[in-house]
Structures are given as structure tokens and as C-alpha cells.
Amino acid sequence: MSDFLSHPLPNIPKSDLPKVVIVGAGFGGLKLAMKLMKKKFQVILLDKHNYHQFQPLFYQVATAGLEPSAISFPLRKIFHGSKNVTFRMAQVEYFDPKIKRVYTDMGYLDYTYLVMAMGADTNYFGNKNIEESASPMKTVSEALYIRNKIISNYERAINIERSEDRKSLMNVVIVGGGPTGVELAGAMADLRNTVLPKDYPELNFHNMKIVLIEAGPDLLGSMSPESKAHALKYLQDLGVEVMLKTLVKDYNGEEVILADREAIQTQTLLWAAGIKPNRIGGIEEDSYAPNGRIFVDDFSEVKGCPDVFALGDISLMSQAEYPKGHPQVAQVAIQQAVCLATNLQRIEEGKEKKIFTYKDLGSMATVGRKLAVVDLPFIKFQGILAWFTWLFVHLMAILGVKNKVFIFLDWSWNYLSFDPSLRLLIKPKAVRPSEQKELTEER
């Protein structure tokens, strides 16, 4: 019997209040914990990281625009002074709905209500070679790895004599034409056009290809036709080669193999092509949709699993306006968390629960310096006004006054100087085998 099965998670405060265990401190899980602060619940928040990650700005860490600490916020700091919310850094293995117990790698926890908000991970669609050799961007650690990889490639390229031998080091291929792929391609183009030539004047950056590959017919599939068209034009004007209706068949670390097109030489394949929900054990297979999301009812409760709820990317709530489930975006998780916080209080008070209704606040994407597209429910616009709107919305969404100030200063400097100052190649020191689990992140 594994050790975590045999003892409770230690040092959890004793309480007679209903115990809400939240798995995952992303947008949904964190919002729920914050809404339940000072309420008549004992809240235990579990996550494998001790910080909240602001995923929409990962690409700016990867392209040296922001430092990792600017988009990360310590979870314990959020709950300073809270008497009913406890955080533990732990990896959840599975749960037993019959006895209402969650098992982690640090011990088990009994719960009154269990809320799963584990988010999603990178989807490689079963291609093991791509999974092994491509670079995903779903955590701060992965974004930092991409930054190191890109800078390392150019430091190596400058020591190679023949330009032909430098191609695979200099070229960057991005797969996935959603907001992440578009924003990453635009940021890489800005680096190539204005920054890297000053760092490496010996290299000819006219020979550096930035390729964005999308299997579908359009970029930004969920946005308006106007935004799709403008995003494509902006990227092409920046010198990004956009390949639509193009499938990536394989990648060997040196060449991207495409269906019906010539292979592209690159040692940097950035994968932003899809997501798959994270899982924990304990849910019957028939509770999962074919895409891996968990079927929930109108109150976010897992079907056939009383007092167990799922929020955000991992959940599939079929409603009249969203028969295939809601979009896997932060606003859905946040709004579901707010609704669930209200419903948990209603359940304890013996009142009727409130049906979740999603309010679409719109979508946006930045394509480069002074270039963005914005779709709001009442208006659509593009260009510099959209860019300032994008900056303001994301700045306001960041946790912590200090983080807002640091990001504002970084953005201001980058705008005025055309020279982001975080192009540092900081290689992590080799970790002792005995400390790998505690000090490294698994892929």
C-alpha cells in the first residue's frame, strides 16, 4: 500500500464547517477559493505549484518581454489572514466518491464537496515524436524553457560559419492558429525585425523564417471574419509565413514534416495546436466525453457523482446555446466558479440552486506591436485601439499591485525602446537525482 493511502494530509486545521476541497489553482479554482473566503466553509486548495499562473501572457515570457515572476502570484500570499482557506502544494492522484476522500502524494483528505479545476494540458494528438521533440507552453516553466532555447540557438548559430548550417537553429515554426499561436508568432516577428539584429549583427535575419501552421482554413477560429482577416494581414506584414489548411505529420527535432508541402528545417517547433483536459482517477469512463471533458449538469456537478463538481476546461456543460459545451477560455471557468460559490451556500441553506448562464464578454488577441483584434458583444475593432484595449484588459486581470506595476513598466520600456531587456540565458544547474521530484517539473 502506497504511503499516501495510509495517512491523512498533516497539519490541516480542524473544523466543523463543511469542507470544500478544490483541486487546481487556475482561474476557476482560485476564483472559487477567493469567493468562499470568510464564508461558512473550510476550504482546502490543492495545486502542484505554489503560485497562480497567468496563462494569457506566457508567450511574453517565452519571447523575453516579461519576467516569469511578473505573471506568477504566490497562492499563500492571496490568503494571508484568511481563517477558512488553507493551501497545500500536492499532486492529486485520485478520489473515492463512495467514502468522499481525495488521495494526494502527501496524504489523503476527506471532503464534503470536491471541486475539480485542474485545467488542460498540451494535446499532441497521439504523435509521440512531436511530444518528445516539440516545445509546449502550458506553464511558466515551459515558457522559460522556450526563452532559453531560442536564445541558446542564436548563441550557437553565431559560432557556425556557413549560413546553410544555421538555418535549423534560426528558423522558428509555430503550430496552432489560435490566440496563443498568433500572439507567439507576432512576438517572434517583432524580435526578429527589431531586436535580434542588434544582438547578433553578424547573422542575416532575412534568412530567418517564422512559420505559423494551422490545420483549419482560418486563424483565430472562434473570432469574427473581420478579426481573422486582419490577424492574417498583420502577421504577413510582419513577415510571418502563414500556412493554412496544412497538417503537421511528424517532427524529428530537425525537420517538420508536412502533408503535401516541403519539410521545414528547424530545431524550434513551438506547439500550440490543441489542449486536452487533465484527469484524476475516480470518475467512471462513461462520465467522460470523447474529447476527455467531464459531463456536468447545469450546476457544474459531475453527472452520477453527487457533491463532486468540475469547472473550466475539464468540464462539458451542454446547454441550449452551447450544445457541445462552453469554450475553453478563462472567463468560462471564472463565471462557473462564481456561480458554484453561490450554489454551495444555497445547498447548505437548503435553497434551490442557480443554473449557470455564461455571459460572453468577447475575445481578443494581440498580433504585434500596436496591432491587435478585439471582438466585443457590441463592437468589433482592430489596430492600435484594439492593442491598447488588450493591454488594459490584461493588466487589470493580473493579480497583485506589484505585478501590475512591473508589467506596466516592462511594457512601457519595450514600447519606447524597441528593446526588451530580459534576453538572459539562465541555465538551471543539474539537480541531484534525489531532488528531481521536488525541484523539477515533469513534461
Side-chain angles (χ1 to χ4, degrees):
M1 180 179 286
S2 299
D3 190 48
F4 66 80
L5 295 174
S6 62
H7 65 81
L9 195 64
N11 303 317
I12 298 295
K14 294 188 183 300
S15 174
D16 295 326
L17 296 173
K19 185 182 292 184
V20 181
V21 175
I22 304 171
V23 183
F27 289 109
L30 180 59
K31 187 67 173 182
L32 178 61
M34 293 172 71
K35 295 296 288 186
L36 293 178
M37 282 176 66
K38 300 180 182 178
K39 306 297 184 184
K40 293 181 179 179
F41 294 96
Q42 182 185 20
V43 181
I44 313 295
L45 179 61
L46 305 174
D47 197 279
K48 61 183 179 181
H49 303 291
N50 71 342
Y51 51 88
H52 171 73
Q53 309 176 86
F54 192 74
Q55 295 187 22
L57 294 182
F58 282 170
Y59 82 94
Q60 293 207 7
V61 174
T63 54
L66 292 174
E67 52 192 311
S69 61
I71 64 166
S72 309
F73 200 82
L75 291 167
R76 294 185 181 279
K77 184 174 182 179
I78 296 171
F79 301 109
H80 277 181
S82 174
K83 295 181 179 179
N84 72 316
V85 180
T86 302
F87 169 73
R88 288 289 181 271
M89 192 172 78
Q91 177 75 50
V92 176
E93 307 287 346
Y94 70 97
F95 73 99
D96 187 338
K98 294 178 182 177
I99 61 174
K100 290 193 166 186
R101 180 169 289 179
V102 175
Y103 296 94
T104 80
D105 58 350
M106 296 295 169
Y108 65 77
L109 271 171
D110 293 324
Y111 65 84
T112 308
Y113 304 103
L114 173 63
V115 182
M116 296 179 291
M118 301 93 65
D121 203 353
T122 305
N123 191 350
Y124 299 99
F125 305 100
N127 192 310
K128 294 297 181 183
N129 289 337
I130 292 176
E131 183 174 357
E132 180 66 29
S133 302
S135 300
M137 196 175 64
K138 283 288 180 287
T139 66
V140 170
S141 178
E142 289 174 346
L144 192 56
Y145 170 82
I146 291 173
R147 189 186 84 179
N148 282 350
K149 181 178 178 66
I150 290 170
I151 297 171
S152 175
N153 283 351
Y154 296 123
E155 295 295 347
R156 290 163 59 198
I158 205 168
N159 290 317
I160 295 175
E161 184 175 357
R162 295 177 65 246
S163 61
E164 283 296 312
D165 297 334
R166 295 195 292 259
K167 277 188 177 180
S168 68
L169 284 169
M170 295 182 66
N171 293 341
V172 174
V173 177
I174 301 159
V175 180
T180 299
V182 167
E183 291 173 346
L184 195 51
M188 280 303 308
D190 278 340
L191 274 181
R192 179 195 59 188
N193 298 341
T194 62
V195 177
L196 294 177
K198 293 184 286 187
D199 280 356
Y200 307 97
E202 300 86 351
L203 299 178
N204 183 359
F205 283 91
H206 294 293
N207 295 330
M208 174 188 169
K209 293 174 68 174
I210 299 173
V211 183
L212 177 61
I213 300 173
E214 165 57 34
D218 300 297
L219 300 177
L220 303 174
S222 62
M223 296 190 73
S224 66
E226 302 98 305
S227 291
K228 294 176 183 179
H230 276 85
L232 177 60
K233 183 180 184 302
Y234 291 154
L235 286 174
Q236 290 173 337
D237 289 346
L238 287 169
V240 176
E241 184 178 346
V242 180
M243 296 182 177
L244 301 175
K245 299 181 182 178
T246 302
L247 289 175
V248 176
K249 293 178 64 177
D250 209 349
Y251 179 56
N252 59 14
E254 295 282 342
E255 281 189 333
V256 181
I257 312 301
L258 304 176
D260 304 322
R261 286 180 183 257
E262 186 179 345
I264 305 171
Q265 294 182 41
T266 184
Q267 293 185 35
T268 308
L269 176 63
L270 308 182
W271 193 261
I275 60 174
K276 61 179 179 181
N278 288 314
R279 287 195 179 197
I280 60 174
I283 298 178
E284 299 294 332
E285 279 301 315
D286 59 5
S287 294
Y288 287 102
N291 60 8
R293 297 170 77 176
I294 303 168
F295 289 116
V296 299
D297 62 18
D298 290 334
F299 314 104
S300 294
E301 189 168 20
V302 177
K303 293 184 177 180
C305 212
D307 299 328
V308 178
F309 303 85
L311 301 176
D313 291 346
I314 65 168
S315 69
L316 195 157
M317 182 188 295
S318 180
Q319 295 183 320
E321 291 188 24
Y322 299 94
K324 296 182 180 180
H326 297 85
Q328 290 169 289
V329 295
Q331 269 302 317
V332 172
I334 290 169
Q335 292 181 33
Q336 286 179 342
V338 172
C339 183
L340 180 55
T342 299
N343 281 337
L344 290 176
Q345 295 178 73
R346 286 175 175 262
I347 292 170
E348 288 299 312
E349 295 168 0
K351 296 179 180 178
E352 187 176 347
K353 292 181 290 186
K354 175 185 175 184
I355 292 177
F356 172 72
T357 303
Y358 175 53
K359 183 180 180 182
D360 187 358
L361 301 179
S363 53
M364 57 185 69
T366 179
V367 188
R369 180 186 170 88
K370 297 192 289 186
L371 300 172
V373 292
V374 172
D375 286 355
L376 299 179
F378 50 88
I379 190 173
K380 299 172 179 61
F381 54 100
Q382 302 83 32
I384 189 168
L385 178 60
W387 186 66
F388 278 118
T389 302
W390 184 95
L391 292 176
F392 177 78
V393 168
H394 285 74
L395 189 64
M396 291 301 100
I398 287 285
L399 289 174
V401 174
K402 185 183 77 171
N403 290 42
K404 292 181 195 293
V405 171
F406 283 173
I407 290 175
F408 178 75
L409 291 175
D410 277 336
W411 282 348
S412 299
W413 176 257
N414 295 344
Y415 176 78
L416 293 171
S417 69
F418 288 89
D419 191 13
S421 56
L422 299 170
R423 300 184 302 280
L424 309 176
L425 178 55
I426 303 174
K427 299 179 181 179
K429 191 172 182 178
V431 178
R432 299 184 188 94
S434 61
E435 296 177 328
Q436 280 187 341
K437 182 179 178 181
E438 289 77 16
L439 299 179
T440 60
E441 181 175 273
E442 294 182 2
R443 284 197 64 174

